[in-house]
C-alpha cells in the first residue's frame, strides 16, 4: 500500500562511482519530483517531470539525470559522485503541476534515500 | 529572487500553543503549504492556503496574508509527538514549490 517508494533507503559509495536511486508511485499521479535535502535541512528541487515536460533546476550539475521508464517511475542516476553529493534524496509525486484545488497540488513524499559519499 | 524565511528553532511546553511564522517572496504566487517532518522521515502535508484568512484543521491552523507575504502555522494543545520540523513552502507562478529551511519545534514536558 506504499504510495511513494524509493530504493535503496541507504547508499554508501566511493567518490567517482555512478549510482542510481529508484522511485515508484502507485497513486496514478501525473508529476514526479526529485529533491535534495542537505545537512542544513533545505529541501531543494532538482527535477520535476510529467509525461509532457522535464523541468530542471539550473543549479543541478549535469552529472544528475532523471530517467522515467513510465509514468509511475522516476529514477535518479548520478555519475562521478562527489563528496558534496552526500545528502538525503526525496522523491515525491503530485496529481498535476498546474492549477486546480489544493488536493491537486499536494506533494506526497517517499521515505528518502540517505546517500553518503566517502 | 525567491525566498522563504522562518525561524530556525522554537521551544514550547506540552499543552501550550505555539505559532510558527513564515514570510515569502516569490515570482507569482499559487498558494502556501505547511509540511511536518519528523527526524529521519519524509515531509508530510499539513495545510494549504491560497486565499487570505485562517484555515482550521483540528489542533492545527494556518493563516495567510497575501498582501504581506506572510503565513503562520498555529499548533494548539501541544503534544510531545508534535516535536518535528515544520516546513513552509510557497508555490510560484510556475507551480514550483519554494521551500524554507524549516523550523525545528522542541516540545518540553
Amino acid at each position: 500500500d506504499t504510495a511513494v517508494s524509493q530504493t535503496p533507503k541507504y547508499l554508501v559509495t566511493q567518490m567517482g562511482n555512478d549510482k542510481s536511486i529508484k522511485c515508484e508511485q502507485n497513486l496514478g499521479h501525473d508529476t514526479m519530483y526529485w529533491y535534495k535535502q542537505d545537512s542544513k535541512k533545505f529541501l531543494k528541487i532538482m527535477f520535476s517531470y510529467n509525461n509532457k515536460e522535464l523541468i530542471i533546476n539550473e543549479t543541478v550539475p549535469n552529472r544528475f539525470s532523471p530517467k522515467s521508464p513510465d509514468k509511475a517511475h522516476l529514477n535518479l542516476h548520478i555519475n562521478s559522485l562527489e563528496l558534496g553529493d552526500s545528502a538525503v534524496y526525496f522523491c515525491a509525486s503530485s496529481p498535476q503541476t498546474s492549477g486546480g484545488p489544493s488536493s491537486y497540488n499536494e506533494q506526497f513524499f517517499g521515505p528518502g534515500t540517505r546517500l553518503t559519499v566517502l | 529572487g525567491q525566498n522563504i524565511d522562518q525561524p530556525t528553532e522554537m521551544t514550547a511546553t506540552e499543552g501550550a500553543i505555539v505559532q510558527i511564522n513564515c514570510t515569502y517572496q516569490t515570482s507569482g504566487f499559487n498558494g502556501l503549504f505547511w509540511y511536518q517532518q519528523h527526524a529521519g522521515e519524509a515531509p508530510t502535508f499539513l495545510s494549504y492556503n491560497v486565499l487570505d484568512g485562517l484555515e482550521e484543521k483540528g489542533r492545527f491552523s494556518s493563516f495567510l496574508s497575501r498582501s504581506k507575504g506572510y503565513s503562520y502555522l498555529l499548533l494548539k494543545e501541544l503534544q510531545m509527538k508534535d516535536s518535528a520540523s515544520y516546513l513552509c513552502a510557497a508555490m510560484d507562478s510556475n507551480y514550483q514549490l519554494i521551500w524554507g529551511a524549516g523550523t525545528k519545534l522542541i516540545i518540553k514536558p
Side-chain angles (χ1 to χ4, degrees), chain A residues 35 37 48 97 99 102 107 110, chain B residues 35 37 42 45 48 95-96 99:
Chain A
Y35 286 92
Q37 189 171 42
S48 65
T97 50
S102 64
Q107 294 185 14
Chain B
Y35 278 77
Q37 186 176 25
F45 171 81
Y48 172 74
Y95 297 94
Q96 295 292 320
W99 294 83

Side-chain angles (χ1 to χ4, degrees), chain A residues 9 33 35 37 40-45 47-48 55 90 97-103 105-112 114, chain B residues 3-4 30 33 35 37 39-50 85 87 91 94-102:
Chain A
K9 190 168 176 62
Y33 310 82
Y35 286 92
Q37 189 171 42
K40 295 183 179 179
K41 305 302 180 186
F42 271 105
L43 265 172
K44 295 180 182 175
I45 182 73
F47 307 100
S48 65
I55 301 174
F90 286 102
T97 50
S98 57
S102 64
S103 60
N105 293 325
E106 178 184 343
Q107 294 185 14
F108 295 79
F109 283 78
R114 181 173 294 277
Chain B
N3 192 50
I4 307 288
N30 282 298
F33 291 79
Y35 278 77
Q37 186 176 25
E41 297 182 9
T44 54
F45 171 81
L46 286 178
S47 68
Y48 172 74
N49 295 66
V50 68
S85 286
L87 307 172
M91 184 167 280
N94 293 320
Y95 297 94
Q96 295 292 320
L97 281 178
I98 311 301
W99 294 83

Side-chain angles (χ1 to χ4, degrees), chain A residues 1-116:
Chain A
D1 287 296
T2 304
V4 183
S5 59
Q6 294 178 230
T7 54
K9 190 168 176 62
Y10 299 95
L11 182 56
V12 181
T13 189
Q14 300 289 327
M15 267 197 310
N17 285 349
D18 302 339
K19 290 292 179 185
S20 291
I21 307 172
K22 295 183 178 181
C23 177
E24 176 181 0
Q25 54 95 4
N26 62 8
L27 299 168
H29 287 171
D30 291 326
T31 306
M32 297 183 72
Y33 310 82
W34 275 106
Y35 286 92
K36 177 181 180 181
Q37 189 171 42
D38 59 23
S39 58
K40 295 183 179 179
K41 305 302 180 186
F42 271 105
L43 265 172
K44 295 180 182 175
I45 182 73
M46 301 178 72
F47 307 100
S48 65
Y49 184 83
N50 60 25
N51 287 334
K52 304 169 189 173
E53 191 177 13
L54 171 66
I55 301 174
I56 302 172
N57 183 324
E58 61 193 14
T59 66
V60 175
N62 57 16
R63 298 182 294 105
F64 291 79
S65 57
K67 298 186 189 303
S68 181
D70 55 58
K71 182 178 155 179
H73 297 83
L74 184 65
N75 303 326
L76 181 66
H77 190 75
I78 316 169
N79 289 329
S80 303
L81 279 156
E82 300 178 358
L83 292 176
D85 297 333
S86 294
V88 180
Y89 292 83
F90 286 102
C91 176
S93 72
S94 67
Q96 64 183 58
T97 50
S98 57
S102 64
S103 60
Y104 291 156
N105 293 325
E106 178 184 343
Q107 294 185 14
F108 295 79
F109 283 78
T113 296
R114 181 173 294 277
L115 171 65
T116 303

